[in-house]
Amino acid sequence: MNTRGFRSQLKDSVPVAGLCPQGAYGVQDTLRSGFTSVKNELLPSHPLELSEKNFQLNRDKMDFSSLRNIQGLHAPLKLQMEYKAARQIQRLPFLQSSHLALDTLRGNDECIGFEDILNDPAQTEVMGEPHMMVEHKLGLL
């Protein structure tokens, strides 16, 4: 494993330029993209943070490879199609979607984690004009 590339990515508190979406006049469009957060523009401060962010993806890859070795190529392809169909089921853009079908497929519906307790939609900071958010999602703006 090449750790030289990781070390350059994991420097503590290095801001990344160009992540903030710019509007028509060179200023961030706060109405569509929300308020900027310094935390979103920083690289991970701990080596395990990258691993923790990609945990579900790595677990899915491992499950798919073992499923392919046991049952053949059709099993992971069928499961991936079901995951894709379950990800497309969402509420309107201004309402938070729980992705219950996806959690049930992955087996996460019986687990209680931090996201279940600390991710209360009533306490969210992102709330916009519903009509404008739907028009933006449909490409009318």
Side-chain angles (χ1 to χ4, degrees):
M1 183 172 148
N2 185 6
T3 59
R4 201 170 29 172
F6 270 148
R7 216 173 290 136
S8 65
Q9 290 179 348
L10 298 176
K11 290 183 181 175
D12 192 25
S13 301
V14 178
V16 178
L19 289 180
C20 181
Q22 300 294 324
Y25 299 105
V27 180
Q28 181 200 0
D29 193 359
T30 308
L31 188 63
R32 291 192 183 123
S33 62
F35 293 108
T36 58
S37 174
V38 175
K39 183 181 179 200
N40 294 338
E41 296 178 3
L42 295 177
L43 290 175
S45 58
H46 195 273
L48 287 178
E49 190 173 348
L50 284 175
S51 174
E52 200 55 39
K53 280 185 180 179
N54 298 327
F55 173 75
Q56 187 66 44
L57 180 66
N58 293 338
R59 191 170 97 180
D60 285 345
K61 284 182 181 179
M62 187 176 62
D63 290 344
F64 289 148
S65 66
S66 65
L67 195 60
R68 181 179 180 189
N69 292 337
I70 294 170
Q71 295 185 7
L73 184 61
H74 74 281
L77 289 177
K78 179 184 175 200
L79 200 56
Q80 284 178 349
M81 288 187 330
E82 289 178 0
Y83 283 176
K84 185 176 180 180
R87 262 190 233 106
Q88 291 176 350
I89 302 169
Q90 291 185 358
R91 294 183 180 154
L92 292 173
F94 58 91
L95 296 174
Q96 186 175 3
S97 184
S98 65
H99 298 287
L100 183 63
L102 188 61
D103 284 344
T104 305
L105 281 173
R106 287 188 171 150
N108 293 339
D109 57 337
E110 298 176 354
C111 302
I112 297 176
F114 288 110
E115 63 275 1
D116 295 327
I117 298 169
L118 299 176
N119 198 18
D120 186 17
Q123 298 175 353
T124 184
E125 295 179 9
V126 179
M127 183 60 191
E129 180 67 33
H131 296 288
M132 185 168 286
M133 292 176 83
V134 172
E135 288 174 0
H136 182 264
K137 180 162 180 136
L138 293 175
L140 299 175
L141 287 179

